[in-house]
Amino acid sequence: MSTPTPTAAPTPGSTAHELTHGRRENRLFETLCAVSTWSTFAVLVILIVSVSYRAWGWLDWQFLTSFDSRKPERAGILAGLLGSCWMIVITIMFSVPVGVGAAVYLEEYATDNLLTRIIRTNLANLAGVPSIVYGILGLTVFVRMFGLFGEQGLFHIEGIPLWGDAVIPLPFGRTVISGALSLSLLILPVIIVAAQEALRAVPPSLRHASLALGATRWQTIRHQVLPSALPGIMTGVILAISRAFGETAPLVMIGAMTFVRFAPGKITSLQVVFDDPASLVRAPFDTFTVIPIQIFNWVRQAKSEFQHVAAAGIVVLLVVLLVLNGLAIYVRHRSQKNLRW
């Protein structure tokens, strides 16, 4: 029976050399990480300072409350701001219930079979698809509706009356509802994946305890699982909405207008809504523009003054995106404080 060969004990000199080498590697790695972080931050600061300098003197109350104009000094961002608000509100109405509901079904109800695994894999892949693809899909499905309606289509329906003079056009055409549905397709995979991860983070013992006390599966999900997963779900939803707010390619594909001197539904104040309530119904089926497309249009103008107008629009867009991301951080922090597990 062979005896194991004893290993040589490390000498004090070799141990000290290894420790010194390890400390050098640690300092080098720490320095590289710090350089990467601060260089990125420096570039961001330079860009923000440069844009803010160009926007100085152009970003004022008149710019925020005026519609676009051919004259740079009179151009405003009101049409894009209101169009973006309408777009995001309708996108939330479609994407959040469907996305969270799909995540709840996949995590809490669906069995782990081949079909479920294929769906989960495709959802993860769809989250990385370029946004222009969703624009092409929205143009085909929502703007043109596969060419089923209209003079050359199978069905000859000009529109469906709603309320007053509000009519649902068929196909939807280049309207707010088409853009919102296209953006909903864009952010649905992100919302579903984020909600799934939040639901997986809830301890299984919480579900087991609720079921052991006699609660049904739906009562367990409603009163225990969803409140516990709410911080992660809300963070994913708000970050997805902030991405949709800054998207341009899908809206360019569906034909959002670049020069607009009106708001969707002609709604510029609450007084308009009180005087004509049907304007709220007309707005989703009206033509529109959004802030990124207005900025794109201003950058292309020949007059150099429009570069300052575009910089002012970029500042407004950045402020809105920072508010949305700050809201995500606040919601997550506030919700985590109320967790009891």
Side-chain angles (χ1 to χ4, degrees), residues 197-219:
E197 295 298 329
L199 292 170
R200 288 174 194 160
V202 178
S205 57
L206 196 66
R207 300 176 176 86
H208 298 161
S210 178
L211 294 172
L213 292 174
T216 63
R217 178 175 290 187
W218 166 239
Q219 289 173 335

Side-chain angles (χ1 to χ4, degrees), residues 30-221:
E30 181 181 358
T31 302
L32 290 175
C33 291
V35 170
S36 301
T37 302
W38 289 108
S39 60
T40 305
F41 180 74
V43 172
L44 178 63
V45 170
I46 292 173
L47 290 175
I48 292 177
V49 170
S50 175
V51 172
S52 301
Y53 177 77
R54 284 178 171 268
W56 186 263
W58 294 81
L59 181 57
D60 52 16
W61 186 249
Q62 183 271 337
F63 176 76
L64 296 175
T65 58
S66 301
F67 292 103
D68 203 356
S69 173
R70 300 297 182 186
K71 298 181 179 180
E73 61 276 6
R74 296 183 180 179
I77 202 170
L78 183 59
L81 191 59
L82 294 177
S84 295
C85 292
W86 273 103
M87 183 77 56
I88 291 304
V89 168
I90 299 176
T91 301
I92 292 173
M93 292 172 59
F94 281 105
S95 60
V96 174
V98 175
V100 176
V104 170
Y105 174 77
L106 290 173
E107 290 299 318
E108 303 295 332
Y109 290 100
T111 57
D112 188 15
N113 52 29
L114 179 61
L115 178 60
T116 304
R117 290 193 292 270
I118 291 175
I119 293 174
R120 289 172 177 167
T121 303
N122 286 332
L123 284 173
N125 292 333
L126 286 174
V129 171
S131 58
I132 190 67
V133 176
Y134 292 99
I136 298 172
L137 180 62
L139 176 66
T140 304
V141 178
F142 305 121
V143 176
R144 298 176 179 172
M145 288 187 175
F146 303 103
L148 295 177
F149 300 93
E151 296 180 358
Q152 304 298 328
L154 297 178
F155 305 97
H156 300 277
I157 301 176
E158 294 183 357
I160 301 176
L162 278 180
W163 180 22
D165 59 346
V167 176
I168 299 178
L170 290 176
F172 289 150
R174 307 177 190 280
T175 57
V176 176
I177 191 73
S178 297
L181 291 173
S182 300
L183 292 181
S184 297
L185 294 178
L186 172 67
I187 66 175
L188 260 178
V190 180
I191 293 177
I192 295 174
V193 171
Q196 283 183 291
E197 295 298 329
L199 292 170
R200 288 174 194 160
V202 178
S205 57
L206 196 66
R207 300 176 176 86
H208 298 161
S210 178
L211 294 172
L213 292 174
T216 63
R217 178 175 290 187
W218 166 239
Q219 289 173 335
T220 300
I221 294 172

